[in-house]
Amino acid sequence: MFEKEYDVIVVGGGHAGAEAAAAAANMGSKTLLVTMNLQTIGQMSCNPAMGGIAKGQIVREIDALGGYSGIVTDKSAIQFKMLNKSKGPAMWSPRAQNDRMRFAEEWRTALEGTPNCDFYQEMVKGLLVEKDAVVGVRTSLGIDIKARAVVLTNGTFLNGLIHIGEKQFGGGRAGEKAATGITEQLTSFGFDSGRMKTGTPPRVDGRSLDYSKMIPQPGDERPEKFSYSETSILTRQRDCHMTHTSVIVHELLKEGFDRSPMFNGRIKSIGPRYCPSIEDKINRFADKDSHQLFVEPEGWNTVEVYVNGFSTSLPEDVQFKALRSVVGFEKVKFFRPGYAIEYDYFPPTQLRHTLETKLVNNLYFAGQINGTTGYEEAASQGLMAGINAHLKINEEEPFILKRDEAYIGVLIDDLITKGTEEPYRMFTSRAEYRTLLRQDNADLRLTPKGYAIGLANEERLKRMEDKQKKSEAFVKFFKDTSVLPEDINPILESVNSSLVKQSDKMYKAFSRPKVTMEHMLKLESVSDFVQKNGLNREVLEQTEVQVKYSGYIAKEKVNADKLHRLENIKIPDNFDYSKLKSLSFEAREKLETIRPATISQASRISGVSPSDISVLLVFMGR
């Protein structure tokens, strides 16, 4: 069946696996995607949504590099929102509700339309390894498939164990069996492994809900989209709704705590801090009488509804009884109860920046196997692993994004430098250069890089260059064009800003905090410039950010340049830290374990102090 050797084999067809296979294949590698079920490629295992705080920036970065997640999201979206619009542009984050079935269908269609990408449905039981390098995989039927590189994207399937109250059974997802064999083999090679937990809410029948008692949550009046390519903007949207738990609901849930696997010791692993179960919220925030629940439709034409905020592993009878006491859910019918799942992961400090493992050459890990949670985090790791697997086997330079270049760079650097003992989730607060890493400029930051490695196509590059050129011209227009007091003062008066007495450059007026692009477009010369040059919404947004936040952007660029000086000081792979007696014992231990590639990475390791970095700099002759 498999006479030839593949360039790259990707194990797992979730968000990480799909992006990894697409990236490797589009760059020219003969790629095989092996998954236990071809019908669940790109499956949204938890909530039917993409994006959110910082996660939306990641999806835009994937798209800018030439990945598929943004395109698939746009094609299957049923609602779009730009979050945090009341804050500065560094915090703006796109989010879309999606049609779960269409999302998976679009992923399958995209991959099947990708040259160089083959598919095979079966469980991978182990790896073929020779001389500390992976050379293929072995399936549950005993078939050996050779490859020059392998990317593992196993999600929650490695020895997955599902919990519903006191019941537990093996599974990687509801209705699907767990994957076995890989963990045991990897630990025999010397890898450290651990267990993590995540959970999901019950799915209910929307026909049994009373939406009139809930608060509608519509999408944006002028929805945007994720992809920088020619995907369509939504012309109609579906509402979500909001309701709340209550003291009565909490008391009903507490009745099942003695049967909860979280509280009776059955679940020993740690769950995601920022997406706690409903029982965890009641326990940790005992002073709160209610918690928000977001009622999210699963698609255009289905009645299935996702109850966001009610993630739980309580017994199904307790879930049902409590949910029936929520306003609007008095007659609720279940499609399926919520559950928790425990699974194996491998601490990501065992990886290089390329996501290649340190112990086995040409073997890459991406997604929840690295201790992350979230579709977006998984997809970005899959993309980077697929890119680097292709580059490595073709003896090309690795592709590594720095912390000031992308949220993807922050994510990977955090994982491999600091590790994680709980499911890692991306936030804007994790990025020290978030003013540079905005959702509006992901294409300007990353499309040239994606094009240079052969992933983003020429059409994408031209679109980016056109946007950049038009935005720069518009900024120059504001700097060069003067405006009379009688023209600008009505605008300034409308926003309670001090009036001007003489003609001045438009740039100065536009820089004022309350003056927006919408205000400036009321000036005839501005609207004429926009029409004459065919400026779209993306260009207008980019121009406004460049005018109003230029000082902040310049300051962060200076700080990033300081970081780069430490990034340029490399540490040899085989460096012997034991001979540096001036290092603290903890620093020596951490540096030996993580083996940072640069002084900058070493400085971010917990337990390595500034004085330890000084010792390293002296030894390096700096």
Side-chain angles (χ1 to χ4, degrees), residues 435-448:
T435 305
L436 301 179
L437 309 181
R438 307 181 309 277
Q439 58 84 30
D440 62 90
N441 71 346
D443 55 340
L444 305 182
R445 289 184 277 122
L446 299 176
T447 298

Side-chain angles (χ1 to χ4, degrees), residues 69-194:
S69 287
I71 294 170
V72 169
T73 300
D74 287 346
K75 286 184 175 181
S76 59
I78 63 174
Q79 189 195 87
F80 185 94
K81 272 190 174 183
M82 186 65 75
L83 306 180
N84 282 340
K85 203 64 170 152
S86 62
K87 300 180 180 179
M91 304 296 285
W92 299 350
S93 301
R95 184 181 189 271
Q97 288 292 139
N98 289 88
D99 186 310
R100 186 189 298 276
M101 289 184 285
R102 285 187 63 184
F103 186 91
E105 181 187 13
E106 290 292 347
W107 252 120
R108 173 79 178 258
T109 303
L111 287 170
E112 288 187 1
T114 302
N116 295 321
C117 188
D118 289 348
F119 304 87
Y120 186 57
Q121 177 173 298
E122 207 195 323
M123 183 195 295
V124 169
K125 294 285 286 185
L127 303 170
L128 305 177
V129 177
E130 296 175 5
K131 298 178 181 176
D132 296 328
V134 71
V135 294
V137 300
R138 176 165 291 161
T139 73
S140 57
L141 291 177
I143 300 170
D144 290 352
I145 313 172
K146 293 297 186 73
R148 298 165 67 196
V150 173
V151 183
L152 293 184
T153 67
N154 304 83
T156 58
F157 281 77
L158 291 180
N159 292 319
L161 186 63
I162 291 173
H163 297 265
I164 302 176
E166 294 173 301
K167 301 160 189 169
Q168 60 183 46
F169 46 91
R173 189 160 48 205
E176 297 181 60
K177 63 182 180 181
T180 58
I182 290 177
T183 297
E184 294 74 16
Q185 185 186 27
L186 289 174
T187 53
S188 75
F189 292 156
F191 283 91
D192 292 329
S193 70

Side-chain angles (χ1 to χ4, degrees), residues 151-280:
V151 183
L152 293 184
T153 67
N154 304 83
T156 58
F157 281 77
L158 291 180
N159 292 319
L161 186 63
I162 291 173
H163 297 265
I164 302 176
E166 294 173 301
K167 301 160 189 169
Q168 60 183 46
F169 46 91
R173 189 160 48 205
E176 297 181 60
K177 63 182 180 181
T180 58
I182 290 177
T183 297
E184 294 74 16
Q185 185 186 27
L186 289 174
T187 53
S188 75
F189 292 156
F191 283 91
D192 292 329
S193 70
R195 295 284 278 176
M196 279 191 176
K197 177 204 85 100
T198 189
T200 193
R203 309 314 199 267
V204 304
D205 189 333
R207 296 169 299 184
S208 65
L209 304 181
D210 187 349
Y211 291 107
S212 66
K213 296 180 178 179
M214 304 181 203
I215 304 165
Q217 302 287 302
D220 290 346
E221 284 186 21
R222 296 178 64 207
E224 297 180 41
K225 61 193 185 77
F226 274 98
S227 180
Y228 295 99
S229 64
E230 292 285 358
T231 52
S232 300
I233 291 175
L234 285 172
T235 54
R236 65 187 180 104
Q237 302 184 68
R238 281 202 69 176
D239 283 355
C240 296
H241 289 79
M242 184 172 70
T243 185
H244 295 81
T245 61
S246 63
V247 173
I248 295 171
V249 174
H250 296 181
E251 289 304 316
L252 289 170
L253 289 168
K254 286 177 184 176
E255 289 178 12
F257 277 12
D258 61 325
R259 292 188 286 153
S260 166
M262 283 187 57
F263 299 134
N264 64 18
R266 284 181 181 270
I267 292 179
K268 296 181 173 62
S269 49
I270 300 172
R273 177 186 298 268
Y274 303 102
C275 189
S277 65
I278 188 67
E279 54 264 42
D280 198 22

Side-chain angles (χ1 to χ4, degrees), residues 396-451:
E396 295 182 45
E397 286 296 309
F399 183 66
I400 297 168
L401 293 169
K402 298 186 179 72
R403 294 183 71 90
D404 65 315
E405 291 178 327
Y407 272 95
I408 297 173
V410 175
L411 166 70
I412 292 174
D413 187 65
D414 276 356
L415 289 174
I416 71 162
T417 302
K418 301 173 183 175
T420 185
E421 293 181 353
E422 64 185 32
Y424 178 101
R425 180 179 177 183
M426 179 54 74
F427 289 100
T428 50
S429 58
R430 296 194 192 273
E432 59 270 48
Y433 304 112
R434 54 186 172 272
T435 305
L436 301 179
L437 309 181
R438 307 181 309 277
Q439 58 84 30
D440 62 90
N441 71 346
D443 55 340
L444 305 182
R445 289 184 277 122
L446 299 176
T447 298
K449 294 179 183 294
Y451 179 75

